[in-house]
Amino acid sequence: MNVLGLVNYWAFIFLMMVGFYILISQGNLIKKIVGLSVFQTSVFILYISMGKIRGGTAPILMEGDPVYSNPLPHVLILTAIVVGVATTALGLSLVVRIHEAYGTVEEDEIHDLDVAEAE
Amino acid sequence: MLAVTALALLKLRNLFAVAMLAGIYSLLSAGLFTALDAVDVAFTEAAVGAGISTILVLGTLALVGHEQKKSTRSSVIPLLVVLVTGSILVYGTFDMPPYGDPGNPAHHHVAPHYLEESAHEIGIPNVVTSVLASYRGYDTMGETTVIFTAMVGVLLLMGGVRKRATSEMASGPASGPSDQELDGEPHQQPDGEEDPDGG
């Protein structure tokens, strides 16, 4: 097994897991959304690194006969980046709405307020 | 560098610094995309990820305040979940093809067709553009639908905030002692509100 060829995937998995940890361990809703976007960006890098060919160049047609990297992951990730921003915008506007209703964006305090209201 | 930025994001409690670091993280990854030959993706990430996302987060911070309170919850269970997920993913990479090998299966299905034929079929030198706009045009249309839906959602959510804020101001500061959650200056709201609409 060629371990060196897999090290880049492990680096991106580490980044992904940092984002995931921010997402599930932090109580602040804005911090959670930032963690989600760190997670997303790491997935993007993972995809782009799969499209790379050693010694390749950007897929813009040129004279001569160069090796081009695979354009397909680039297209998929272009779409994903824009969709990611759309989700971030929606999530942040939900945070603003939650702040308006509860006066806080800390998950623990929101839970306490809910419990107090139920009693 | 990306890893250091991500870890700093985890530790910082001032949310303004978090927003700035998230922008730096996006910019660093845009540099990495350029190194990986994905120039179009690098453009988009630098403009959208580092630019618009940061503005959106800053706009939200203007509305909700920027200090994170110290969490009292235990971090053992999240850490356990993250470690288990991470090790499953690492186990999954053992079947992945090695990085940068031209013989990888991903490079042998439709990608050679796009690279060889798009010059005659579409006539644009940038292959990414021809795939995005022509071969996979339906994907792009779906993406536009997603953005439209998200924008409608943002407008609906934020429109309610604006309406309540103006009625609050119209009814005067004396009324509504029960609304202690709205005492964060309703006048601020028009500034922050423009940003989510731009996304």
Side-chain angles (χ1 to χ4, degrees):
Chain A
M1 187 192 308
N2 181 6
V3 175
L4 262 181
L6 298 178
V7 169
N8 71 311
Y9 298 128
W10 298 343
F12 304 144
I13 287 173
F14 174 76
L15 289 177
M16 257 184 241
M17 288 305 111
V18 173
F20 188 37
Y21 182 74
I22 297 177
L23 180 65
I24 61 179
S25 74
Q26 303 288 318
N28 188 294
L29 294 176
I30 295 178
K31 196 90 170 267
K32 272 181 192 289
I33 287 180
V34 170
L36 187 67
S37 65
V38 168
F39 196 158
Q40 276 176 342
T41 311
S42 319
V43 176
F44 301 159
I45 304 173
L46 178 73
Y47 264 72
I48 295 294
S49 81
M50 286 182 206
K52 170 77 179 168
I53 296 180
R54 192 170 288 114
T57 176
I60 297 173
L61 300 178
M62 294 185 287
E63 297 291 314
D65 201 11
V67 180
Y68 298 114
S69 287
N70 191 345
L72 199 53
H74 302 186
V75 176
L76 298 180
I77 295 311
L78 274 180
T79 309
I81 289 177
V82 178
V83 170
V85 165
T87 29
T88 308
L90 196 59
L92 287 173
S93 62
L94 274 173
V95 170
V96 171
R97 187 67 190 80
I98 288 173
H99 181 261
E100 196 205 16
Y102 286 93
T104 174
V105 289
E106 301 286 336
E107 216 175 34
D108 305 341
E109 293 175 8
I110 292 171
H111 180 72
D112 293 345
L113 283 171
D114 273 347
V115 170
E117 198 169 316
E119 279 166 5
Chain B
M1 275 229 316
L2 280 168
V4 173
T5 319
L7 289 175
L9 268 175
L10 176 63
K11 282 291 156 209
L12 273 175
R13 192 148 277 138
N14 184 328
L15 292 176
F16 270 123
V18 166
M20 287 301 134
L21 269 181
I24 289 173
Y25 183 85
S26 284
L27 203 59
L28 286 175
S29 61
L32 191 56
F33 288 145
T34 319
L36 291 171
D37 295 344
V39 281
D40 307 77
V41 182
F43 277 149
T44 317
E45 178 68 32
V48 171
I52 297 180
S53 287
T54 313
I55 295 173
L56 286 174
V57 175
L58 286 177
T60 314
L61 288 179
L63 290 175
V64 303
H66 63 270
E67 274 303 320
Q68 183 187 11
K69 301 210 176 67
K70 201 159 171 55
S71 178
T72 51
R73 62 169 90 183
S74 127
S75 61
V76 177
I77 296 174
L79 201 61
L80 205 67
V81 171
V82 164
L83 285 178
V84 170
T85 320
S87 31
I88 292 173
L89 284 174
V90 168
Y91 176 71
T93 60
F94 290 144
D95 284 340
M96 297 275 285
Y99 165 77
D101 186 356
N104 288 352
H107 307 317
H108 287 285
H109 185 48
V110 286
H113 175 90
Y114 291 154
L115 286 171
E116 285 155 20
E117 304 297 332
S118 72
H120 319 294
E121 290 180 356
I122 315 289
I124 306 174
N126 189 337
V127 183
V128 175
T129 311
S130 20
V131 177
L132 184 78
S134 180
Y135 294 112
R136 293 193 156 260
Y138 281 121
D139 274 12
T140 310
M141 199 176 82
E143 171 200 350
T144 324
T145 317
V146 171
I147 298 167
F148 177 73
T149 317
M151 203 187 71
V152 169
V154 169
L155 284 178
L156 285 176
L157 283 165
M158 301 300 287
V161 174
R162 180 185 304 166
K163 201 181 295 169
R164 274 183 297 279
T166 28
S167 66
E168 189 82 357
M169 276 197 289
S171 61
S175 75
S178 62
D179 290 336
Q180 74 264 41
E181 62 263 25
L182 264 178
D183 57 14
E185 280 93 45
H187 323 281
Q188 277 186 354
Q189 294 202 342
D191 311 333
E193 226 165 33
E194 298 304 315
D195 305 323
D197 303 358

